[in-house]
Amino acid sequence: AKGGKFLMGWMSNWEYANVVPTETWRSAMTVSREIKLIKSANSYRLAFSPIEELNAYKEVKFKEEKIEVSGELEIISSEQLDLTQAQIKFNISEVKDKSLSFKLSNSLGDELLFGFDPKDNNFYVDRRKSGKVNFENRYASKISTATRISSNPSLNGTILLDKTSIELFYDDGEMVMTEIFFPNAPFERLSLVSKNEIYILDYIEVNQLNFND
């Protein structure tokens, strides 16, 4: 976007940057993000979104509306789309008392959980069972959380998956979370999980991202 303000972040943490279970590289940069200044009731805030140019790399599309979630519901698998390079967009119209939980998993039992917990008003990423986690005591010892700022009853999000990283943009970029992970095999399934309640996900779209051309 001409005239925009952009940044890229480093996806790692000095607590474990030198001991991540990789051989020829040590972490990576985020996707380029456009920065916007937004005005709230009493202050200004920065919001972040993936650059529009990312749309040029979108290919295969999966889209569904009005999905009823009870228990665990598989949304898409690697037979339909490569989840190691994908963009996911979703919207849920009412999150006041609904625990929105996504799960990436594979046949080896690795799991990455992320979503929103209305009880604590927190977004979260849970890497405790995401694969290789024992290379440093502090790497996945606790669930990563971020307090939701928006009071909007609906919640939207954009999720970027790239091999061993996840970038989460919630509420039109008002809250952003980024995490790296090291599964023992690529994640093969994306599911929605509901523990004690039934909820409706209004919209979800999954696009393949192809950066090889």
Side-chain angles (χ1 to χ4, degrees), residues 65-201:
E65 298 179 0
K66 303 299 181 184
I67 303 172
E68 183 177 292
V69 183
S70 176
E72 183 171 332
L73 175 66
E74 182 176 303
I75 298 298
I76 197 167
S77 74
S78 57
E79 294 179 358
Q80 301 161 275
L81 186 146
D82 182 5
L83 289 169
T84 69
Q85 286 190 165
Q87 174 183 274
I88 303 156
K89 290 192 172 184
F90 73 89
N91 184 75
I92 182 170
S93 59
E94 181 59 66
V95 293
K96 182 177 180 181
D97 55 357
K98 302 295 188 296
S99 298
L100 178 67
S101 182
F102 288 92
K103 181 167 82 170
L104 285 164
S105 59
N106 60 28
S107 57
L108 299 181
D110 299 335
E111 297 179 355
L112 181 74
L113 300 170
F114 57 95
F116 177 67
D117 183 354
K119 182 177 61 178
D120 300 320
N121 198 39
N122 279 342
F123 298 110
Y124 67 89
V125 181
D126 185 349
R127 300 184 291 182
R128 293 177 298 174
K129 297 181 181 179
S130 61
K132 299 178 178 68
V133 298
N134 296 323
F135 56 88
E136 208 282 334
N137 290 336
R138 292 164 291 185
Y139 164 71
S141 59
K142 62 181 182 179
I143 299 173
S144 300
T145 61
T147 300
R148 189 184 189 207
I149 300 166
S150 175
S151 58
N152 194 326
S154 66
L155 169 65
N156 65 68
T158 298
I159 304 159
L160 297 180
L161 298 172
D162 185 14
K163 293 186 175 22
T164 62
S165 68
I166 185 168
E167 300 179 55
L168 299 152
F169 301 82
Y170 293 113
D171 292 318
D172 296 316
E174 285 190 30
M175 180 57 66
V176 180
M177 299 183 74
T178 305
E179 297 283 7
I180 56 175
F181 49 83
F182 304 97
N184 293 295
F187 286 124
E188 302 162 334
R189 292 175 298 279
L190 174 69
S191 304
L192 282 163
V193 182
S194 172
K195 292 184 179 180
N196 301 314
E197 73 278 348
I198 298 173
Y199 64 85
I200 302 295
L201 188 73

